[in-house]
Amino acid sequence: MAPFVDLVYPPRCPACGEGTGEQGGLCVTCWSDLAIPGNPSCALCQRPFGDSGPAEGAICAPCLGNPPVHDGIAAGTLYTDTSRKLVLALKHGRRIALAPLLARLIAARIVSCEEERLLIPVPLHRWRLWHRGFNQAALLARELEKSGHGLLTVDGLVRTKRTPSLGGMGAKARARALAGAIAVRRPDAVKGRHILLVDDILTSGATSTACVKALKRAGAKSVVIACFARVLDEALDHAR
Ligand SMILES: [Zn+2]
Ligand SMILES: [Zn+2]
């Protein structure tokens, strides 16, 4: 099928639209704009320190000041112009075919776990789900299941109320908006399990923190956040 598909739809880079060598691949310029977080990194949140930073096993200042509720962050990339375009293409451009590529980048950063993990996407409110037709985090989680990273539990978490857009809010307002907004559907399914909480972008962490807290309250043994693009401006220079 591939040569035929290429004739009808010449391969284009999903981030910038330039012609590329193969279907679904990024062009060279966009690949080089992707910032893959490296080591050494924070022992709690995997924030990359860069070559001049502390040795492996150290803990970053934000984690020291405010110990995280999660058990690690596996970020495929740091947020750049290209990772933003890829997420938007997946989310709004309906380029669902991008999910395997983005999930491969996430998978490369996941530290393996002896027990099988549950893959739980950060939930959308049902009205937003209805409007968009799919949850992009669930698409990524499904790909991670296909590559053997856990058992997809698509409705492990649910949104019990609509939350306004959190952009532009301070930390306290975000926490207030999210209070009671996210719940575990079946606590017995989560109890004693290791969880990979899957999302497309990790920004302030307010939503993921609400998810992690709900999962831990239900008895989850550990919760690692797996995301495609993590917003960490100060770490970008080290990653490039
Ligand atoms: Zn490109
Ligand atoms: Zn940290």
Side-chain angles (χ1 to χ4, degrees), residues 42-47 59-63 68 230:
C42 169
L44 290 182
C45 77
Q46 288 106 58
R47 175 188 300 268
I59 291 171
C60 74
C63 285
R230 179 180 184 189

